PDB file of all heavy atoms in Angstrom:
ATOM      1  N   ARG A   1      80.033  59.184 129.774  1.00 87.00           N
ATOM      2  CA  ARG A   1      79.533  57.819 129.629  1.00 87.00           C
ATOM      3  C   ARG A   1      78.871  57.617 128.271  1.00 87.00           C
ATOM      4  O   ARG A   1      79.004  56.561 127.651  1.00 87.00           O
ATOM      5  CB  ARG A   1      78.549  57.477 130.745  1.00 87.00           C
ATOM      6  CG  ARG A   1      78.151  56.007 130.711  1.00 87.00           C
ATOM      7  CD  ARG A   1      77.436  55.565 131.945  1.00 87.00           C
ATOM      8  NE  ARG A   1      77.256  54.122 131.931  1.00 87.00           N
ATOM      9  CZ  ARG A   1      76.543  53.457 132.806  1.00 87.00           C
ATOM     10  NH1 ARG A   1      75.939  54.091 133.778  1.00 87.00           N
ATOM     11  NH2 ARG A   1      76.424  52.146 132.718  1.00 87.00           N
ATOM     12  N   SER A   2      78.168  58.631 127.780  1.00 86.00           N
ATOM     13  CA  SER A   2      77.539  58.528 126.468  1.00 86.00           C
ATOM     14  C   SER A   2      78.580  58.303 125.384  1.00 86.00           C
ATOM     15  O   SER A   2      78.414  57.436 124.510  1.00 86.00           O
ATOM     16  CB  SER A   2      76.738  59.797 126.180  1.00 86.00           C
ATOM     17  OG  SER A   2      76.226  59.778 124.861  1.00 86.00           O
ATOM     18  N   ILE A   3      79.665  59.052 125.441  1.00 89.00           N
ATOM     19  CA  ILE A   3      80.713  58.923 124.422  1.00 89.00           C
ATOM     20  C   ILE A   3      81.481  57.624 124.585  1.00 89.00           C
ATOM     21  O   ILE A   3      81.796  56.939 123.601  1.00 89.00           O
ATOM     22  CB  ILE A   3      81.661  60.137 124.500  1.00 89.00           C
ATOM     23  CG1 ILE A   3      80.886  61.407 124.157  1.00 89.00           C
ATOM     24  CG2 ILE A   3      82.848  59.959 123.571  1.00 89.00           C
ATOM     25  CD1 ILE A   3      81.677  62.674 124.354  1.00 89.00           C
ATOM     26  N   ILE A   4      81.785  57.256 125.829  1.00 90.00           N
ATOM     27  CA  ILE A   4      82.528  56.012 126.068  1.00 90.00           C
ATOM     28  C   ILE A   4      81.706  54.808 125.640  1.00 90.00           C
ATOM     29  O   ILE A   4      82.240  53.846 125.067  1.00 90.00           O
ATOM     30  CB  ILE A   4      82.913  55.891 127.559  1.00 90.00           C
ATOM     31  CG1 ILE A   4      83.872  57.023 127.958  1.00 90.00           C
ATOM     32  CG2 ILE A   4      83.536  54.534 127.838  1.00 90.00           C
ATOM     33  CD1 ILE A   4      85.188  57.013 127.218  1.00 90.00           C
ATOM     34  N   GLU A   5      80.404  54.832 125.885  1.00 91.00           N
ATOM     35  CA  GLU A   5      79.543  53.726 125.456  1.00 91.00           C
ATOM     36  C   GLU A   5      79.561  53.588 123.935  1.00 91.00           C
ATOM     37  O   GLU A   5      79.632  52.482 123.395  1.00 91.00           O
ATOM     38  CB  GLU A   5      78.111  53.965 125.944  1.00 91.00           C
ATOM     39  CG  GLU A   5      77.903  53.794 127.432  1.00 91.00           C
ATOM     40  CD  GLU A   5      78.090  52.361 127.887  1.00 91.00           C
ATOM     41  OE1 GLU A   5      77.949  51.443 127.050  1.00 91.00           O
ATOM     42  OE2 GLU A   5      78.386  52.161 129.074  1.00 91.00           O
ATOM     43  N   ARG A   6      79.481  54.739 123.257  1.00 89.00           N
ATOM     44  CA  ARG A   6      79.510  54.703 121.797  1.00 89.00           C
ATOM     45  C   ARG A   6      80.834  54.142 121.296  1.00 89.00           C
ATOM     46  O   ARG A   6      80.878  53.324 120.369  1.00 89.00           O
ATOM     47  CB  ARG A   6      79.304  56.119 121.249  1.00 89.00           C
ATOM     48  CG  ARG A   6      79.119  56.188 119.741  1.00 89.00           C
ATOM     49  CD  ARG A   6      79.040  57.622 119.287  1.00 89.00           C
ATOM     50  NE  ARG A   6      78.072  58.367 120.074  1.00 89.00           N
ATOM     51  CZ  ARG A   6      78.126  59.679 120.254  1.00 89.00           C
ATOM     52  NH1 ARG A   6      79.107  60.384 119.724  1.00 89.00           N
ATOM     53  NH2 ARG A   6      77.199  60.290 120.962  1.00 89.00           N
ATOM     54  N   ARG A   7      81.933  54.572 121.909  1.00 90.00           N
ATOM     55  CA  ARG A   7      83.247  54.078 121.506  1.00 90.00           C
ATOM     56  C   ARG A   7      83.393  52.591 121.808  1.00 90.00           C
ATOM     57  O   ARG A   7      83.974  51.842 121.013  1.00 90.00           O
ATOM     58  CB  ARG A   7      84.330  54.874 122.248  1.00 90.00           C
ATOM     59  CG  ARG A   7      85.755  54.431 121.942  1.00 90.00           C
ATOM     60  CD  ARG A   7      86.073  54.522 120.480  1.00 90.00           C
ATOM     61  NE  ARG A   7      87.441  54.142 120.195  1.00 90.00           N
ATOM     62  CZ  ARG A   7      87.887  53.824 118.994  1.00 90.00           C
ATOM     63  NH1 ARG A   7      87.069  53.827 117.950  1.00 90.00           N
ATOM     64  NH2 ARG A   7      89.140  53.486 118.816  1.00 90.00           N
ATOM     65  N   HIS A   8      82.861  52.155 122.934  1.00 91.00           N
ATOM     66  CA  HIS A   8      82.930  50.744 123.302  1.00 91.00           C
ATOM     67  C   HIS A   8      82.192  49.881 122.277  1.00 91.00           C
ATOM     68  O   HIS A   8      82.677  48.822 121.873  1.00 91.00           O
ATOM     69  CB  HIS A   8      82.333  50.545 124.699  1.00 91.00           C
ATOM     70  CG  HIS A   8      82.579  49.188 125.281  1.00 91.00           C
ATOM     71  ND1 HIS A   8      83.782  48.810 125.815  1.00 91.00           N
ATOM     72  CD2 HIS A   8      81.764  48.102 125.391  1.00 91.00           C
ATOM     73  CE1 HIS A   8      83.706  47.561 126.246  1.00 91.00           C
ATOM     74  NE2 HIS A   8      82.501  47.117 126.003  1.00 91.00           N
ATOM     75  N   GLN A   9      81.042  50.343 121.851  1.00 92.00           N
ATOM     76  CA  GLN A   9      80.282  49.611 120.832  1.00 92.00           C
ATOM     77  C   GLN A   9      81.024  49.578 119.501  1.00 92.00           C
ATOM     78  O   GLN A   9      81.017  48.556 118.797  1.00 92.00           O
ATOM     79  CB  GLN A   9      78.905  50.242 120.661  1.00 92.00           C
ATOM     80  CG  GLN A   9      77.996  50.081 121.873  1.00 92.00           C
ATOM     81  CD  GLN A   9      76.732  50.906 121.760  1.00 92.00           C
ATOM     82  OE1 GLN A   9      76.478  51.539 120.746  1.00 92.00           O
ATOM     83  NE2 GLN A   9      75.933  50.922 122.817  1.00 92.00           N
ATOM     84  N   GLN A  10      81.677  50.684 119.150  1.00 91.00           N
ATOM     85  CA  GLN A  10      82.470  50.715 117.919  1.00 91.00           C
ATOM     86  C   GLN A  10      83.608  49.703 117.985  1.00 91.00           C
ATOM     87  O   GLN A  10      83.895  49.014 116.992  1.00 91.00           O
ATOM     88  CB  GLN A  10      83.022  52.118 117.691  1.00 91.00           C
ATOM     89  CG  GLN A  10      81.970  53.153 117.354  1.00 91.00           C
ATOM     90  CD  GLN A  10      82.532  54.568 117.345  1.00 91.00           C
ATOM     91  OE1 GLN A  10      83.654  54.811 117.788  1.00 91.00           O
ATOM     92  NE2 GLN A  10      81.747  55.514 116.852  1.00 91.00           N
ATOM     93  N   LEU A  11      84.258  49.611 119.129  1.00 93.00           N
ATOM     94  CA  LEU A  11      85.360  48.662 119.285  1.00 93.00           C
ATOM     95  C   LEU A  11      84.867  47.222 119.218  1.00 93.00           C
ATOM     96  O   LEU A  11      85.552  46.346 118.666  1.00 93.00           O
ATOM     97  CB  LEU A  11      86.080  48.911 120.612  1.00 93.00           C
ATOM     98  CG  LEU A  11      86.927  50.189 120.680  1.00 93.00           C
ATOM     99  CD1 LEU A  11      87.367  50.455 122.115  1.00 93.00           C
ATOM    100  CD2 LEU A  11      88.141  50.072 119.764  1.00 93.00           C
ATOM    101  N   GLN A  12      83.691  46.966 119.776  1.00 94.00           N
ATOM    102  CA  GLN A  12      83.136  45.616 119.697  1.00 94.00           C
ATOM    103  C   GLN A  12      82.856  45.211 118.257  1.00 94.00           C
ATOM    104  O   GLN A  12      83.113  44.065 117.861  1.00 94.00           O
ATOM    105  CB  GLN A  12      81.851  45.538 120.530  1.00 94.00           C
ATOM    106  CG  GLN A  12      82.079  45.525 122.023  1.00 94.00           C
ATOM    107  CD  GLN A  12      80.789  45.441 122.809  1.00 94.00           C
ATOM    108  OE1 GLN A  12      79.793  46.080 122.466  1.00 94.00           O
ATOM    109  NE2 GLN A  12      80.789  44.652 123.866  1.00 94.00           N
ATOM    110  N   ARG A  13      82.341  46.150 117.456  1.00 94.00           N
ATOM    111  CA  ARG A  13      82.128  45.862 116.032  1.00 94.00           C
ATOM    112  C   ARG A  13      83.455  45.693 115.299  1.00 94.00           C
ATOM    113  O   ARG A  13      83.582  44.840 114.408  1.00 94.00           O
ATOM    114  CB  ARG A  13      81.307  46.972 115.385  1.00 94.00           C
ATOM    115  CG  ARG A  13      79.850  46.994 115.790  1.00 94.00           C
ATOM    116  CD  ARG A  13      79.045  47.901 114.876  1.00 94.00           C
ATOM    117  NE  ARG A  13      79.477  49.283 114.961  1.00 94.00           N
ATOM    118  CZ  ARG A  13      78.950  50.165 115.794  1.00 94.00           C
ATOM    119  NH1 ARG A  13      77.968  49.810 116.629  1.00 94.00           N
ATOM    120  NH2 ARG A  13      79.381  51.417 115.816  1.00 94.00           N
ATOM    121  N   ALA A  14      84.436  46.511 115.695  1.00 94.00           N
ATOM    122  CA  ALA A  14      85.735  46.463 115.019  1.00 94.00           C
ATOM    123  C   ALA A  14      86.450  45.135 115.222  1.00 94.00           C
ATOM    124  O   ALA A  14      87.282  44.743 114.393  1.00 94.00           O
ATOM    125  CB  ALA A  14      86.625  47.604 115.509  1.00 94.00           C
ATOM    126  N   LEU A  15      86.132  44.424 116.306  1.00 93.00           N
ATOM    127  CA  LEU A  15      86.767  43.135 116.558  1.00 93.00           C
ATOM    128  C   LEU A  15      86.593  42.180 115.384  1.00 93.00           C
ATOM    129  O   LEU A  15      87.512  41.442 115.023  1.00 93.00           O
ATOM    130  CB  LEU A  15      86.193  42.501 117.834  1.00 93.00           C
ATOM    131  CG  LEU A  15      86.796  42.928 119.171  1.00 93.00           C
ATOM    132  CD1 LEU A  15      86.058  42.247 120.313  1.00 93.00           C
ATOM    133  CD2 LEU A  15      88.287  42.597 119.227  1.00 93.00           C
ATOM    134  N   TRP A  16      85.419  42.184 114.765  1.00 93.00           N
ATOM    135  CA  TRP A  16      85.197  41.290 113.623  1.00 93.00           C
ATOM    136  C   TRP A  16      85.141  42.032 112.293  1.00 93.00           C
ATOM    137  O   TRP A  16      85.515  41.488 111.248  1.00 93.00           O
ATOM    138  CB  TRP A  16      83.889  40.508 113.810  1.00 93.00           C
ATOM    139  CG  TRP A  16      82.658  41.373 113.850  1.00 93.00           C
ATOM    140  CD1 TRP A  16      82.061  41.929 114.937  1.00 93.00           C
ATOM    141  CD2 TRP A  16      81.872  41.799 112.716  1.00 93.00           C
ATOM    142  NE1 TRP A  16      80.964  42.671 114.569  1.00 93.00           N
ATOM    143  CE2 TRP A  16      80.825  42.604 113.219  1.00 93.00           C
ATOM    144  CE3 TRP A  16      81.964  41.567 111.348  1.00 93.00           C
ATOM    145  CZ2 TRP A  16      79.865  43.180 112.380  1.00 93.00           C
ATOM    146  CZ3 TRP A  16      81.007  42.140 110.512  1.00 93.00           C
ATOM    147  CH2 TRP A  16      79.976  42.930 111.026  1.00 93.00           C
ATOM    148  N   LEU A  17      84.706  43.305 112.327  1.00 94.00           N
ATOM    149  CA  LEU A  17      84.541  44.038 111.081  1.00 94.00           C
ATOM    150  C   LEU A  17      85.879  44.416 110.446  1.00 94.00           C
ATOM    151  O   LEU A  17      86.049  44.283 109.217  1.00 94.00           O
ATOM    152  CB  LEU A  17      83.708  45.296 111.331  1.00 94.00           C
ATOM    153  CG  LEU A  17      83.366  46.139 110.083  1.00 94.00           C
ATOM    154  CD1 LEU A  17      82.590  45.306 109.080  1.00 94.00           C
ATOM    155  CD2 LEU A  17      82.560  47.369 110.496  1.00 94.00           C
ATOM    156  N   ASN A  18      86.835  44.884 111.246  1.00 93.00           N
ATOM    157  CA  ASN A  18      88.120  45.289 110.691  1.00 93.00           C
ATOM    158  C   ASN A  18      88.864  44.147 110.004  1.00 93.00           C
ATOM    159  O   ASN A  18      89.353  44.322 108.881  1.00 93.00           O
ATOM    160  CB  ASN A  18      88.997  45.905 111.781  1.00 93.00           C
ATOM    161  CG  ASN A  18      88.559  47.307 112.144  1.00 93.00           C
ATOM    162  OD1 ASN A  18      87.625  47.845 111.568  1.00 93.00           O
ATOM    163  ND2 ASN A  18      89.222  47.904 113.115  1.00 93.00           N
ATOM    164  N   PRO A  19      88.984  42.970 110.633  1.00 94.00           N
ATOM    165  CA  PRO A  19      89.651  41.875 109.924  1.00 94.00           C
ATOM    166  C   PRO A  19      88.951  41.498 108.617  1.00 94.00           C
ATOM    167  O   PRO A  19      89.618  41.216 107.612  1.00 94.00           O
ATOM    168  CB  PRO A  19      89.591  40.716 110.933  1.00 94.00           C
ATOM    169  CG  PRO A  19      89.513  41.379 112.261  1.00 94.00           C
ATOM    170  CD  PRO A  19      88.686  42.606 112.042  1.00 94.00           C
ATOM    171  N   VAL A  20      87.617  41.509 108.615  1.00 95.00           N
ATOM    172  CA  VAL A  20      86.889  41.181 107.387  1.00 95.00           C
ATOM    173  C   VAL A  20      87.141  42.234 106.321  1.00 95.00           C
ATOM    174  O   VAL A  20      87.448  41.913 105.158  1.00 95.00           O
ATOM    175  CB  VAL A  20      85.375  41.057 107.678  1.00 95.00           C
ATOM    176  CG1 VAL A  20      84.592  40.939 106.366  1.00 95.00           C
ATOM    177  CG2 VAL A  20      85.100  39.849 108.556  1.00 95.00           C
ATOM    178  N   ALA A  21      87.038  43.511 106.698  1.00 95.00           N
ATOM    179  CA  ALA A  21      87.202  44.597 105.724  1.00 95.00           C
ATOM    180  C   ALA A  21      88.627  44.627 105.166  1.00 95.00           C
ATOM    181  O   ALA A  21      88.821  44.672 103.938  1.00 95.00           O
ATOM    182  CB  ALA A  21      86.860  45.935 106.370  1.00 95.00           C
ATOM    183  N   PHE A  22      89.621  44.593 106.042  1.00 94.00           N
ATOM    184  CA  PHE A  22      91.004  44.652 105.568  1.00 94.00           C
ATOM    185  C   PHE A  22      91.392  43.379 104.814  1.00 94.00           C
ATOM    186  O   PHE A  22      92.187  43.432 103.878  1.00 94.00           O
ATOM    187  CB  PHE A  22      91.959  44.880 106.740  1.00 94.00           C
ATOM    188  CG  PHE A  22      91.903  46.275 107.293  1.00 94.00           C
ATOM    189  CD1 PHE A  22      91.690  46.501 108.643  1.00 94.00           C
ATOM    190  CD2 PHE A  22      92.053  47.374 106.459  1.00 94.00           C
ATOM    191  CE1 PHE A  22      91.626  47.784 109.156  1.00 94.00           C
ATOM    192  CE2 PHE A  22      91.994  48.672 106.962  1.00 94.00           C
ATOM    193  CZ  PHE A  22      91.786  48.872 108.310  1.00 94.00           C
ATOM    194  N   GLY A  23      90.818  42.244 105.211  1.00 94.00           N
ATOM    195  CA  GLY A  23      91.075  41.011 104.477  1.00 94.00           C
ATOM    196  C   GLY A  23      90.537  41.078 103.061  1.00 94.00           C
ATOM    197  O   GLY A  23      91.221  40.692 102.101  1.00 94.00           O
ATOM    198  N   LEU A  24      89.313  41.585 102.909  1.00 95.00           N
ATOM    199  CA  LEU A  24      88.725  41.714 101.569  1.00 95.00           C
ATOM    200  C   LEU A  24      89.504  42.717 100.723  1.00 95.00           C
ATOM    201  O   LEU A  24      89.745  42.477  99.525  1.00 95.00           O
ATOM    202  CB  LEU A  24      87.263  42.147 101.685  1.00 95.00           C
ATOM    203  CG  LEU A  24      86.292  41.098 102.232  1.00 95.00           C
ATOM    204  CD1 LEU A  24      84.894  41.689 102.392  1.00 95.00           C
ATOM    205  CD2 LEU A  24      86.242  39.876 101.312  1.00 95.00           C
ATOM    206  N   MET A  25      89.892  43.858 101.332  1.00 94.00           N
ATOM    207  CA  MET A  25      90.646  44.859 100.576  1.00 94.00           C
ATOM    208  C   MET A  25      92.015  44.316 100.158  1.00 94.00           C
ATOM    209  O   MET A  25      92.528  44.658  99.082  1.00 94.00           O
ATOM    210  CB  MET A  25      90.789  46.131 101.402  1.00 94.00           C
ATOM    211  CG  MET A  25      89.495  46.927 101.499  1.00 94.00           C
ATOM    212  SD  MET A  25      89.687  48.542 102.280  1.00 94.00           S
ATOM    213  CE  MET A  25      89.822  48.062 104.000  1.00 94.00           C
ATOM    214  N   THR A  26      92.607  43.467 100.982  1.00 94.00           N
ATOM    215  CA  THR A  26      93.878  42.844 100.603  1.00 94.00           C
ATOM    216  C   THR A  26      93.707  41.952  99.391  1.00 94.00           C
ATOM    217  O   THR A  26      94.521  41.978  98.455  1.00 94.00           O
ATOM    218  CB  THR A  26      94.432  42.026 101.782  1.00 94.00           C
ATOM    219  OG1 THR A  26      94.646  42.884 102.906  1.00 94.00           O
ATOM    220  CG2 THR A  26      95.742  41.362 101.403  1.00 94.00           C
TER     221      THR A  26
END
């Protein structure tokens, strides 16, 4: 549960962070 919670939080951040990061790098 500790690891899954951490991964879940990472995925929640990735929902908005990845498009912003990859958009800027593009």
Side-chain angles (χ1 to χ4, degrees):
R1 187 167 188 187
S2 174
I3 296 173
I4 296 298
E5 288 293 337
R6 188 185 310 154
R7 179 58 178 163
H8 191 77
Q9 293 171 5
Q10 292 171 349
L11 288 169
Q12 286 180 319
R13 288 193 297 268
L15 276 177
W16 63 269
L17 184 59
N18 285 358
V20 171
F22 287 127
L24 289 176
M25 286 188 284
T26 300

